[in-house]
Amino acid sequence: MDMATYVMLGKYTPGVVGEISAKRTKRATAAIRDAGGELKDVYALLGETDLLLIVDFPGTEAAMKTSAALSKLLGVSFITAPAVSG
């Protein structure tokens, strides 16, 4: 199956920073995998954006559904966009 790379930029909603844990990360990774995706890399950031996820998905529909599911699951607001290599 052909996969496309997506960048997910996340911003913690108020009150969830104290809930960060390895267990939540495992649940997020499982949600991505359940949608047919593969988590390639995760970065914590300083500034306006708190998280950067690089994920391969089978298509835009899977990326959008997973973005919404992760927002609900984690309390993180995501902006998800396809990445185009140069």
Side-chain angles (χ1 to χ4, degrees):
M1 174 184 299
D2 284 340
M3 301 283 269
T5 301
Y6 291 80
V7 174
M8 300 178 72
L9 300 170
K11 179 75 176 164
Y12 290 112
T13 56
V16 301
V17 173
E19 298 175 17
I20 297 170
S21 69
K23 183 178 179 180
R24 282 169 49 100
T25 301
K26 287 180 183 178
R27 289 193 325 221
T29 302
I32 291 168
R33 193 174 35 245
D34 290 347
E38 181 182 352
L39 182 62
K40 294 299 207 175
D41 229 330
V42 178
Y43 297 92
L45 305 174
L46 299 172
E48 297 277 327
T49 303
D50 298 313
L51 296 171
L52 167 66
L53 282 67
I54 301 172
V55 186
D56 284 351
F57 283 110
T60 302
E61 184 176 343
M64 291 174 63
K65 286 182 179 181
T66 305
S67 181
L70 289 178
S71 293
K72 185 176 180 180
L73 176 70
L74 304 175
V76 176
S77 170
F78 282 102
I79 296 171
T80 302
V84 180
S85 61

